Amino acid sequence: RKEVEQDPGPFNVPEGATVAFNCTYSNSASQSFFWYRQDCRKEPKLLMSVYSSGNEDGRFTAQLNRASQYISLLIRDSKLSDSATYLCVVHNTGGFKTIFGAGTRLFVKA
Amino acid sequence: NAGVTQTPKFQVLKTGQSMTLQCAQDMNHEYMSWYRQDPGMGLRLIHYSVGAGITDQGEVPNGYNVSRSTTEDFPLRLLSAAPSQTSVYFCASSRKGLAGGSYTDTQYFGPGTRLTVL
């Protein structure tokens, strides 16, 4: 079983739609959680950190459920520019072990 | 700031050749790391460094060497290239900090090196 698992998609949604991605992790000692965005043939870039209380950044909302060991990302009012691969990232402090999920591909269509 | 820079952007090698992928950052970050990205597998950590003179192995270190003589530079050496090392290589740097009451370490990635081994 992979340490961080994501639905690879692709998710095909129309502009203006709401879309949600889930990610599960297997190490209960994991301490930091992130969503990164990666455009085609580009480097990953931090989209947002994920905090225990949940956090929002504009149209993006991230949630963490430690009991069930999953992280979610909600994108509201999707834009064409949101088309990318979204990477779930888990970091285990105290060993510098960062695990990337394989990514979920999103296509937003006009 | 240039951020994280990597050279070369593209490279083709023959099996058995050696080469060094260069990585530099100008953000004075303590942590630097090398990842490889293969289709359907996500990024996998090759080697990392928590400061000048300190390196350690990641998930897939075999066939690669690193050194960290300065804070800014973290080169990755392929000792004897194999077709299985065909991949996209990303260098990243980060600095630990606190955000929202938890430790976090945003990683900043270079643009990547696309390596093909024939």
Side-chain angles (χ1 to χ4, degrees):
Chain A
R1 180 188 172 191
K2 292 182 181 178
E3 197 162 340
V4 177
E5 297 208 61
Q6 295 182 249
D7 182 342
F11 285 61
N12 293 287
V13 303
E15 271 188 296
T18 296
V19 61
F21 306 138
N22 289 327
C23 166
T24 59
Y25 61 96
S26 60
N27 188 343
S28 59
S30 299
Q31 296 179 295
S32 302
F33 309 91
F34 311 88
W35 284 101
Y36 278 72
R37 170 194 169 127
Q38 185 173 25
D39 294 305
C40 187
R41 301 181 69 80
K42 297 287 189 181
E43 71 273 22
K45 292 183 179 179
L46 179 70
L47 178 66
M48 58 197 303
S49 300
V50 186
Y51 305 131
S52 297
S53 56
N55 48 299
E56 189 174 304
D57 183 1
R59 298 180 293 109
F60 299 85
T61 300
Q63 297 281 351
L64 167 64
N65 185 320
R66 286 189 182 272
S68 301
Q69 294 181 205
Y70 81 79
I71 308 148
S72 65
L73 176 68
L74 183 76
I75 305 176
R76 292 182 299 277
D77 189 22
S78 298
K79 311 292 186 190
L80 294 175
S81 57
D82 294 333
S83 296
T85 297
Y86 291 83
L87 306 173
C88 174
V89 181
V90 172
H91 182 84
N92 302 326
T93 309
F96 194 78
K97 189 175 181 185
T98 299
I99 307 296
F100 282 76
T104 298
R105 197 85 185 271
L106 172 66
F107 293 101
V108 181
K109 301 173 293 184
Chain B
N1 286 352
V4 181
T5 57
Q6 290 183 239
T7 57
K9 290 186 178 179
F10 301 93
Q11 183 70 49
V12 178
L13 293 176
K14 294 181 179 178
T15 296
Q17 287 184 314
S18 62
M19 79 160 296
T20 299
L21 306 186
Q22 301 292 343
C23 174
Q25 54 92 9
D26 60 0
M27 296 175 283
N28 202 33
H29 285 169
E30 300 97 326
Y31 293 0
M32 296 187 74
S33 48
W34 276 102
Y35 295 88
R36 59 178 289 173
Q37 186 173 35
D38 302 295
M41 298 194 70
L43 284 87
R44 291 181 292 169
L45 184 64
I46 304 171
H47 284 285
Y48 65 95
S49 169
V50 299
I54 306 169
T55 63
D56 207 344
Q57 296 181 351
E59 181 185 357
V60 289
N62 292 341
Y64 308 95
N65 273 357
V66 292
S67 60
R68 183 97 179 270
S69 56
T70 66
T71 300
E72 294 78 20
D73 300 297
F74 192 42
L76 178 72
R77 279 181 287 278
L78 278 71
L79 308 173
S80 177
S84 61
Q85 294 178 305
T86 294
S87 188
V88 180
Y89 291 84
F90 288 103
C91 178
S93 73
S94 62
R95 183 174 61 195
K96 273 203 174 293
L98 280 171
S102 301
Y103 280 99
T104 184
D105 56 345
T106 301
Q107 296 202 54
Y108 297 86
F109 285 84
T113 294
R114 284 164 176 75
L115 175 68
T116 300
V117 183
L118 302 175

